[in-house]
Amino acid sequence: YSPFPWMVAGNAAQMRKDWPRSELYYMEAIKRSPERASLYYRISISQEYLGKREKSLNNLKKAAELFPNCYTDLLKNYE
């Protein structure tokens, strides 16, 4: 199954600042595509707004692990 409908739904929820729903949508997308770094980055944003700092940091670390050229600098700024 494709992660893209869930990713698009997560993006739309983030645009509405519906952080709980966007987190759920990104979790579903990650189940379908666990190697896609951008999904971990996006869920980390939602989790940060939800006050789930540890989960947010772990997901940002996962994004940086999967795609270091893109997310490593963000991780440095986060910590």
Side-chain angles (χ1 to χ4, degrees):
Y1 294 107
S2 174
F4 296 111
W6 296 100
M7 182 179 73
V8 170
N11 292 349
Q14 274 191 344
M15 289 174 57
R16 293 188 313 273
K17 298 183 180 181
D18 186 349
W19 309 117
R21 193 166 300 215
S22 66
E23 181 187 32
L24 291 174
Y25 291 149
Y26 289 129
M27 287 185 340
E28 287 299 320
I30 288 168
K31 287 180 190 175
R32 289 161 174 76
S33 186
E35 299 302 315
R36 188 172 298 276
S38 63
L39 296 174
Y40 292 96
Y41 169 66
R42 293 297 225 154
I43 198 171
S44 77
I45 294 169
S46 297
Q47 290 168 332
E48 179 68 20
Y49 278 102
L50 289 168
K52 299 178 179 181
R53 188 161 174 82
E54 187 174 337
K55 285 184 177 186
S56 175
L57 180 57
N58 288 338
N59 280 309
L60 188 54
K61 285 179 181 178
K62 181 69 174 179
E65 174 188 314
L66 292 170
F67 195 3
N69 291 342
C70 187
Y71 298 106
T72 302
D73 286 340
L74 290 172
L75 185 59
K76 289 177 189 172
N77 293 333
Y78 191 91
E79 296 175 326

